[in-house]
Amino acid sequence: MTNPVIDGVKAWLPELAAIRQDIHAHPELGMEETRTAALVARELRALGIEVTEGVGKLGVVGTIRGSRPGQRVIGLRADMDALQIHEQTGMPYASTTPGVMHACGHDGHTTMLLGAARWLAAHRDFAGTVHLIFQPAEEGRGGARAMIADGLFDRFPCDAVYGLHNAPTLPQGVFGTRTGPALAASDRFIVTFRGTGGHGGSSPHLATDVTVVQAHFVLALQSIVSRNVPAIEAAVLSVGSIEGGSPVSPNVMPSAITITGTARSYVPAVRDLLEKRIGELAQGLAASYGCTAEAIYRRGSPALVNHKEQTEVARAAARTFVDSAAVKVMPPITGAEDFALMLEARPGAFMFLGAGTGPDGTSPEVHTPHYNFNDAIIPLGVAYWVSLVEQEMGMAGA
């Protein structure tokens, strides 16, 4: 299926790929994206786009006003931050910052939105306004929350907001989304058990042993999902660390031990239940073994819930340049995305774009040291953004 945007962007692809690879070579963690934000602002200004910097500390918003009268306003969002992972791709543009890499494709997301900015700046024949939202700190450092708290949607009102993420698990050029809960709420729990500790070899009867209570707690956690969460709902509880005692003193029972983990859910009632039951189990087991417990439940991003009307708009946008069969209804994903906060504030939808295999024939998953964004999908991402503007604002000739 031919598309003028894809055909046009292919001519720019070397330039866009160079931008993407430059961002990739200079990754920055959340709320540290000074270089990336400056690059984005510079590129937007070079296109004659109105730019606002420093939204939520490092967020950048570019505003493009259509040449035809219209009051409709939409937001298109891309994320800019990298991850604390040591890159092992071996690419010539690999990360120059040890221990930090673009392992989730945010370098590609930023580049695709910059490509859309280039097209829209030159083709303003739409009725309304488009805000290009370049967000810092998606990876758990509160970027969406910071931008919203800084008045994102008050300063840049949006009738709808849209997000796009690459997906190595989907074939190249396949789009996927769903109405309703699409990604999970991401929370963390920290439970600390405290007792007296003691000599585990000679006099364990004189001590309160926190290692025993934590063992029962870890096993009991899974009863929350299997026996407290309704069978028709979904939830995940996983322990990520257990810290206490010393390997050089195995005969000494520690006086404190800490368990940390993650909790994933899709609906508020289940989220509340997980928090409540984790605390109740910790306190109840501690009391039964003569110990005390402190349970902390830290809420991260809520579940990402796509709105029905905007999800249909997103699907229609993708279908303008790929076959209908290439626009899939995806099952819910237990990953998390802080774009969920923007969807709580405004109607909208989040779309996945299949990245397929890279030039070497492999498709490593995101958040792994071998992952690399596939530059071949940049024209598809640009076409999707432009098509959204067409669907929302009747853009002519797209």
Side-chain angles (χ1 to χ4, degrees):
M1 189 179 296
T2 61
N3 178 275
V5 180
I6 292 176
D7 293 340
V9 173
K10 283 181 178 177
W12 316 333
L13 186 54
E15 299 171 55
L16 292 175
I19 291 173
R20 201 282 297 180
Q21 292 169 17
D22 177 70
I23 296 172
H24 188 94
H26 302 90
E28 296 168 303
L29 296 174
M31 290 303 179
E32 299 175 15
E33 307 98 321
T34 53
R35 183 184 187 278
T36 307
L39 181 154
V40 166
R42 183 173 66 248
E43 292 291 330
L44 293 176
R45 288 196 175 97
L47 296 169
I49 294 172
E50 179 183 330
V51 176
T52 304
E53 298 180 75
V55 183
K57 186 178 179 180
L58 287 171
V60 179
V61 178
T63 299
I64 305 176
R65 305 182 195 283
S67 60
R68 292 191 282 127
Q71 301 301 312
R72 185 75 174 165
V73 184
I74 66 170
L76 310 179
R77 176 270 205 176
D79 37 19
M80 300 186 293
D81 56 324
L83 286 156
Q84 288 181 296
I85 295 176
H86 184 75
E87 183 164 355
Q88 298 178 36
T89 63
M91 302 303 292
Y93 50 82
S95 171
T96 57
T97 304
V100 181
M101 73 170 286
H102 272 289
C104 199
H106 297 186
D107 49 346
H109 303 164
T110 296
T111 302
M112 291 189 292
L113 192 54
L114 285 174
R118 180 169 176 173
W119 181 274
L120 293 170
H123 301 82
R124 296 179 183 246
D125 47 347
F126 54 89
T129 300
V130 179
H131 293 308
L132 310 172
I133 303 167
F134 294 86
Q135 180 201 310
E138 186 279 322
E139 299 286 359
R141 292 193 173 192
R145 194 180 301 277
M147 292 190 79
I148 293 169
D150 198 19
L152 174 66
F153 294 122
D154 298 319
R155 299 162 64 184
F156 309 94
C158 291
D159 298 305
V161 63
Y162 295 91
L164 178 65
H165 202 293
N166 81 102
T169 54
L170 288 176
Q172 182 172 316
V174 170
F175 287 80
T177 188
R178 67 179 289 106
T179 301
L183 289 101
S186 176
D187 303 328
R188 296 183 179 184
F189 59 86
I190 305 168
V191 175
T192 300
F193 293 103
R194 293 185 174 86
T196 61
H199 198 297
S202 66
S203 52
H205 59 290
L206 300 178
T208 50
D209 188 354
V210 293
T211 66
V212 174
V213 67
Q214 72 80 25
H216 284 281
F217 174 75
V218 170
L219 292 174
L221 275 177
Q222 299 312 311
S223 70
I224 298 175
V225 175
S226 65
R227 289 296 177 266
N228 300 138
V229 175
I232 60 172
E233 301 291 353
V236 177
L237 286 174
S238 297
V239 170
S241 73
I242 301 174
E243 298 181 356
S246 170
V248 299
S249 302
N251 62 326
V252 177
M253 296 187 301
S255 60
I257 196 163
T258 298
I259 301 98
T260 68
T262 185
R264 302 289 170 107
S265 57
Y266 293 101
V267 298
V270 172
R271 194 182 198 189
D272 293 342
L273 175 65
L274 296 180
E275 179 175 6
K276 176 174 178 288
R277 289 297 293 138
I278 287 171
E280 288 174 346
L281 277 178
Q283 297 295 338
L285 286 167
S288 68
Y289 283 90
C291 302
T292 63
E294 177 188 31
I296 299 171
Y297 193 93
R298 292 178 177 167
R299 297 196 176 206
S301 299
L304 186 150
V305 181
N306 284 326
H307 298 249
K308 183 178 180 180
E309 179 181 343
Q310 286 69 36
T311 303
E312 290 307 314
V313 170
R315 289 183 177 130
R319 286 195 294 262
T320 63
F321 57 91
V322 298
D323 293 335
S324 294
V327 183
K328 307 288 188 182
V329 177
M330 295 183 66
I333 298 170
T334 48
E337 240 285 352
D338 76 350
F339 185 68
L341 292 163
M342 295 192 182
L343 292 182
E344 285 190 338
R346 292 294 184 274
F350 194 69
M351 177 69 82
F352 287 95
L353 167 56
T357 58
D360 61 354
T362 63
S363 55
E365 183 55 284
V366 296
H367 289 226
T368 64
H370 297 285
Y371 168 84
N372 185 31
F373 184 85
N374 183 1
D375 289 333
I377 68 170
I378 290 175
L380 293 168
V382 174
Y384 171 72
W385 285 134
V386 173
S387 185
L388 268 177
V389 176
E390 178 185 16
Q391 297 295 317
E392 285 273 12
M393 302 178 183
M395 186 174 182

